[in-house]
């Protein structure tokens, strides 16, 4: 759905920007992971950017949730500070740490501007205009450079500075500033291979910079209502052809030309140059540091200044971001213990993560489970307690998605670990969770777990997949069979509209009963059972052998019996099975195999 254009930034715009950026990074995650060659092609830059922004977006949503019970809405300062804090505590890898500082720099100015606007006009909403956004982009670029121990050009820092420079030449309208920043960043990204030889040789652009261009593209969409154009391999935009990140080893120039404004980039082995703490999620290369150490730290400014000097002497890729007593520390070292000890001397480190760069194995000091792992397991997201029980009886490890509370990727990773298996089949059971699940799968793979993601879009598709699951088959064969069963299952749900909206079936009003088939509104009605019957009839027009009904707690007691009778009387040789889903959000889930 297109966003409503606006000439200022307020709390809702920040929320929209975070949501759009998370979705865009989800789409671009694999491509960004692929372009990560310096100094080692570890391929997790896109995943780390996604996880960092996911934490920021979750924090913003929590702020809005706190205002749901009253009429008041969060201020721009509330939303901006939540975004910065969420990114700080959830920052992953070198790229995510730098993105957190970029968002923090922006949030500082947006919060100051928003608070000032509210103070000058108490009855007006807290907001920032074009000049405020311009200052925010400049503060972001400058603060990110200050956070990196040894800045290198041709990285995300270069792209951020170019965005701020371009914004300074734009007009005073938020939309104009956002577009200028995006175009400036995109042009700078295309030139990164000219600044770093490793990028030029690989024929790729900087992966961290590519991620920042994606985030700025989402900002353009948030304030203009228009999405930026994207090519298969990168962001195209409205600037000169070939300045985006391509996917075939060349841009608009001659085939195979990997550098220069006309043919920069392709998703090859990849890049995120982070020499000495720059944008990449490098994991030390030949002769480089053996460990990546990341932790949150509670400490004062003076202690952090001493910590920077000590960690800089211990290793490289040093980035320390944060402020006001809370910091995120990232460094690559050979002596992981010394890096943690330095944090203990500076203050209170916690959420300590130590990654060995060799083969994705955990640090030797990490505790390992005593029992032997199973060969294979299924992890599934389920919308209600009833389905959680059903999936559990079938042997799956479940993650409960409560209404309005989708699980974050960290919860899915924890579930994969809890399954304690060498091979895991992951069923997100929701189209909106595909990017979250993909990021979780990627994270689990770095821990040595073989994960296959089946893109199930409904719990009824997950039921179909689980029904044909056979652990004794070869992993690939099992995944193919489960994917085929899920894909052969059409899905529908019956819900109540919360507000007036435009839908594919017309305009609905708050309180209307909606029947969605394969994710699109197909029926608008007033009665739950009648709407469900119409949905079921439409689904069975194209055939079917088995109908699955998952009944929520709020559905009419007679609905399931009525639908069962409808199938029995009108569709010969079609069986029906009914499950009770509990509090699952939708009144009814329907599957037709």
């Amino acid at each position: 759905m297109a966003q409503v254009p606006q000439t200022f930034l307020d709390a809702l715009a920040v929320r929209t920007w975070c949501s759009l950026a998370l979705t865009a990074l989800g789409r671009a995650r694999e491509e960004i992971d692929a372009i990560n060659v310096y100094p080692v092609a570890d391929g997790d830059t896109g995943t780390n950017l996604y996880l960092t922004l996911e934490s920021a977006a979750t924090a913003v949503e929590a702020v809005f949730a706190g205002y749901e019970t009253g009429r008041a809405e969060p201020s721009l300062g509330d939303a901006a500070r939540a975004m910065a804090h969420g990114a700080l505590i959830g920052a992953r890898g070198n790229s995510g740490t730098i993105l957190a500082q970029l968002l923090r720099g922006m949030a500082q100015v947006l919060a100051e501007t928003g608070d000032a606007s509210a103070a000058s006009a108490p009855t007006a909403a807290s907001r920032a205009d074009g000049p405020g956004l311009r200052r925010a982009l400049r503060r972001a670029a400058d603060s990110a450079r200050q956070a990196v121990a040894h800045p290198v050009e041709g990285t995300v820092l270069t792209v951020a500075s170019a965005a701020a420079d371009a914004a300074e030449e734009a007009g005073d309208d938020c939309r104009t500033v956002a577009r200028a920043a995006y175009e400036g960043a995109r042009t700078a990204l295309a030139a990164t291979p000219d600044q770093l030889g490793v990028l030029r040789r690989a024929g790729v652009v900087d992966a961290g910079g590519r991620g920042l261009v994606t985030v700025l593209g989402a900002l353009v969409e948030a304030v203009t209502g228009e999405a930026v154009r994207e090519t298969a391999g990168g962001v195209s935009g409205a600037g000169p052809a070939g300045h985006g990140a391509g996917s075939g080893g060349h841009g608009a120039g001659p085939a195979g030309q990997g550098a220069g404004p006309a043919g920069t980039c392709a998703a090859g082995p990849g890049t995120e140059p982070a020499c000495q703490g720059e944008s990449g999620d490098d994991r030390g290369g030949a002769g480089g540091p053996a460990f990546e150490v990341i932790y949150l730290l509670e400490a004062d400014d003076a202690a952090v200044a001493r910590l920077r000097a000590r960690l800089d002497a211990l290793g490289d890729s040093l980035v320390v971001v944060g402020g006001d007593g809370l910091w995120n520390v990232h460094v690559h070292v050979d002596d992981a213990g010394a890096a943690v000890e330095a944090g203990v001397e500076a203050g209170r480190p916690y959420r300590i993560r130590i990654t060995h760069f060799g083969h994705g194995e955990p640090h030797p000091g990490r505790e390992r489970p005593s029992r032997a792992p199973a060969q294979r397991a299924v992890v599934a997201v389920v919308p209600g307690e009833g389905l959680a029980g059903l999936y559990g009886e079938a042997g799956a490890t479940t993650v409960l998605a409560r209404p309005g509370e989708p699980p974050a990727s960290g919860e899915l990773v924890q579930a994969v670990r809890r399954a304690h298996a060498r091979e895991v089949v992951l069923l997100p059971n929701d189209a909106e969770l595909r990017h979250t699940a993909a990021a979780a799968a990627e994270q689990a793979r770095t821990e040595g777990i073989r994960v296959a993601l089946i893109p199930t879009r409904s719990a009824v598709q997950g039921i179909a997949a689980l029904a044909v699951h056979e652990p004794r088959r070869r992993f690939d064969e099992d995944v193919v069979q489960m994917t085929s069963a899920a894909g052969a299952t059409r899905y529908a749900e019956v819900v109540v509209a919360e507000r007036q909206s435009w839908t594919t079936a017309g305009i609905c009003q708050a309180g209307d009963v909606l029947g969605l088939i394969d994710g699109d509104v197909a029926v608008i009605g007033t009665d739950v059972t009648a709407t469900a019957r119409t949905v079921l009839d439409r689904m069975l027009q194209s055939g079917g052998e088995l109908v699955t009904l998952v009944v929520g707690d709020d559905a009419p007691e007679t609905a399931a019996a009525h639908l069962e009778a409808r199938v029995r009387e009108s569709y010969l040789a079609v069986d029906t099975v009914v499950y009770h889903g509990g509090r699952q959000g939708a009144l009814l889930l329907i599957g037709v195999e």
Side-chain angles (χ1 to χ4, degrees), residues 555-582:
E557 294 182 1
T558 60
H562 180 92
L563 296 174
E564 279 188 284
R566 176 69 174 175
V567 173
R568 184 172 57 251
E569 295 168 2
S570 302
Y571 302 96
L572 300 178
V574 177
D575 295 325
T576 305
V577 59
V578 178
Y579 301 111
H580 294 283

Side-chain angles (χ1 to χ4, degrees), residues 2 18 37 50 62 91 132 143 167 183 261 286 288 365 380 401 416 442 459 481 525 541:
C18 287
V37 296
Y50 179 89
S143 62
E183 292 297 341
V416 171
E442 192 65 32
Q481 292 298 320
Q541 284 176 358

Side-chain angles (χ1 to χ4, degrees), residues 238-255:
H243 283 210
S247 60
H250 57 278

Side-chain angles (χ1 to χ4, degrees), residues 288-365:
F291 298 100
E292 177 185 57
V293 178
I294 304 174
Y295 50 81
L296 290 177
L297 176 70
E298 292 180 354
D300 58 36
D301 291 4
V304 169
R306 294 191 296 270
L307 175 66
R308 288 179 191 269
R310 183 169 178 186
L311 292 180
D312 194 23
L314 283 175
D316 62 26
S317 294
L318 173 61
V319 186
V320 181
V321 304
D324 301 320
L326 181 61
W327 309 82
N328 191 304
V329 179
H330 172 283
V331 68
H332 293 175
V333 293
D334 281 321
D335 190 344
V340 175
E341 288 172 7
V344 173
E345 292 180 6
R348 187 178 78 87
Y350 59 103
R351 291 196 188 180
I352 300 169
R353 292 197 302 272
I354 301 174
T355 304
H356 183 249
F357 291 148
H359 303 286
E361 292 296 325
H363 182 257

Side-chain angles (χ1 to χ4, degrees), residues 337-425:
V340 175
E341 288 172 7
V344 173
E345 292 180 6
R348 187 178 78 87
Y350 59 103
R351 291 196 188 180
I352 300 169
R353 292 197 302 272
I354 301 174
T355 304
H356 183 249
F357 291 148
H359 303 286
E361 292 296 325
H363 182 257
R366 182 181 293 178
E367 181 180 353
R368 294 176 180 272
S370 57
R371 64 186 176 91
Q375 182 59 35
R376 189 174 308 161
V378 175
V379 173
V381 180
V382 291
E385 293 87 349
L387 283 179
L390 173 66
Y391 273 75
E393 290 173 3
T397 298
T398 60
V399 178
L400 188 62
R402 295 175 177 83
E405 299 179 20
S409 57
E411 294 178 69
L412 301 188
V413 173
Q414 290 293 343
V416 171
R417 293 171 182 153
R418 193 168 68 247
H420 196 45
R422 298 183 181 90
E423 302 167 338
V424 172
V425 179

Side-chain angles (χ1 to χ4, degrees), residues 26-188:
R27 289 193 301 263
R29 183 188 60 80
E30 291 184 355
E31 178 204 330
I32 297 172
D33 281 346
I35 56 169
N36 186 191
V37 296
Y38 182 79
V40 174
D42 61 343
D44 62 358
T45 293
T47 298
N48 286 336
L49 290 170
Y50 179 89
L51 294 173
T52 302
L53 195 56
E54 179 186 52
S55 182
T58 300
V60 173
E61 289 300 324
V63 167
F64 272 84
Y67 282 83
E68 284 181 355
T69 56
R71 290 188 174 184
E73 294 183 355
S75 68
L76 175 58
D78 293 333
R81 282 186 282 263
M83 174 183 70
H85 182 74
L88 178 67
I89 65 174
R92 300 294 293 268
N94 217 343
S95 59
T97 307
I98 293 174
L99 176 62
Q101 188 66 4
L102 288 165
L103 294 179
R104 178 180 172 81
M106 290 193 70
Q108 288 173 333
V109 174
L110 294 178
E112 293 167 1
T113 305
D115 292 346
S117 71
S120 62
T123 59
S126 169
R127 59 180 60 176
D129 55 9
L133 177 57
R134 186 185 301 124
R135 291 192 299 273
L137 290 165
R138 173 51 63 194
R139 178 81 64 87
D142 292 347
S143 62
R145 279 188 178 274
Q146 293 166 5
V148 174
H150 303 284
V152 174
E153 297 306 325
T155 64
V156 65
L157 298 186
T158 304
V159 175
S161 294
D165 291 343
E168 290 181 350
E169 302 299 324
D172 289 342
D173 182 270
C174 253
R175 293 173 292 188
T176 304
V177 173
R179 286 186 184 278
Y182 167 72
E183 292 297 341
R186 194 174 62 82
T187 301

